[in-house]
């Protein structure tokens, strides 16, 4: 069987980004599902990445964000939507090390207290919950003016009776406010991937 893996250094990212993945995170190659996903994502189309848990969906999203912010639309902004505060904090901490290495500012929006809101307006990558993003869009729509790429993690929760409507409204509003922004949805368990990918 042919080797379908792909070297991180062959993705066309700036060398400082490739160096970070290889030297800091020890990632030298993409797994076959990641490689396959990258082709669609690098086309600039809205994409749904439906691959199993622990197969590296977050890495695909990070690579897409870096390509957009460092090469294609320099000075633009990324939004990374997650369903839970704990997951947002985890992603924020993960992205902080990447941001420090690549001179990108990471913001966090998960609540109204000062400790739960960091650099929301001025950041390059905003990690937030759907509920907080809804509040930001309603109260500070101008803060979305630079958004070029949106990642929505745990996308299968679109079907959740409590979180789903907020996520759907947020994505719909962002498609209206930023019609040219790329949306990347990530899920390990989504069932109707063809239907949802057409909606995206």
């Amino acid at each position: 069987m042919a080797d379908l893996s792909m070297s991180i250094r062959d993705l066309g990212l700036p060398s400082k980004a490739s160096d970070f993945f290889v030297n800091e995170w020890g990632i030298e190659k993409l797994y076959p599902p990641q490689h396959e996903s990258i082709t669609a994502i690098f086309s600039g189309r809205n994409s749904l990445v439906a691959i199993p848990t622990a197969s590296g969906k977050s890495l695909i999203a990070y690579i897409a964000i870096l390509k957009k912010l460092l090469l294609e639309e320099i000075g633009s902004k990324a939004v990374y939507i997650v369903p839970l505060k704990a997951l947002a904090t985890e992603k924020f901490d993960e992205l902080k090390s990447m941001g420090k290495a690549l001179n990108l500012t990471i913001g966090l929006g998960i609540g109204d207290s000062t400790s739960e809101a960091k650099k929301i307006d001025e950041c390059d990558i905003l990690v937030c919950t759907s509920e907080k993003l809804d509040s930001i869009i309603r109260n500070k729509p101008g803060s979305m003016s630079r958004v070029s790429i949106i990642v929505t993690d745990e996308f299968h929760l679109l079907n959740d009776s409590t979180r789903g409507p907020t996520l759907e409204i947020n994505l719909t509003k962002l498609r209206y406010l930023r019609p040219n922004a790329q949306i990347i949805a990530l899920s390990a368990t989504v069932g109707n991937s063809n239907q949802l990918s057409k909606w995206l």
Side-chain angles (χ1 to χ4, degrees), residues 16-27 97-98 101:
K16 61 182 179 178
S18 300
D19 289 345
F20 172 79
F21 288 128
V22 173
N23 299 328
E24 299 299 321
W25 285 359
I27 300 169
S97 63
M98 188 175 82

Side-chain angles (χ1 to χ4, degrees), residues 99-152:
K100 185 176 180 182
L102 304 177
N103 198 29
L104 295 170
T105 305
I106 315 301
L108 177 67
I110 56 175
D112 295 323
S113 70
T114 306
S115 65
E116 294 179 325
K118 298 178 173 71
K119 301 179 181 175
I120 286 175
D121 295 326
E122 68 270 28
C123 66
D124 300 301
I125 303 172
L126 173 63
V127 182
C128 59
T129 59
S130 276
E131 291 75 17
K132 184 60 178 180
L133 181 60
D134 180 51
S135 173
I136 293 168
I137 292 173
R138 281 188 284 107
N139 297 306
K140 295 182 176 182
S143 64
M144 299 291 110
S145 64
R146 292 191 297 119
V147 173
S148 63
I149 184 166
I150 301 139
V151 175
T152 175

Side-chain angles (χ1 to χ4, degrees), residues 35-105:
H35 182 192
E36 191 175 340
S37 302
I38 280 292
T39 304
I41 287 170
F42 275 12
S43 74
R45 298 191 310 266
N46 292 346
S47 302
L48 169 58
V49 179
I51 56 179
T53 299
S55 55
K57 292 183 294 296
S58 295
L59 177 64
I60 296 168
Y62 298 162
I63 290 169
I65 287 170
L66 293 182
K67 186 168 191 282
K68 191 71 74 174
L69 270 52
L70 300 179
L71 294 174
E72 296 178 345
E73 296 188 44
I74 297 168
S76 65
K77 182 174 184 172
V79 175
Y80 198 112
I81 309 166
V82 295
L84 304 169
K85 286 185 177 185
L87 185 56
T89 302
E90 178 185 309
K91 295 294 178 191
F92 175 72
D93 291 339
E94 200 169 71
L95 284 165
K96 270 198 308 187
S97 63
M98 188 175 82
K100 185 176 180 182
L102 304 177
N103 198 29
L104 295 170
T105 305

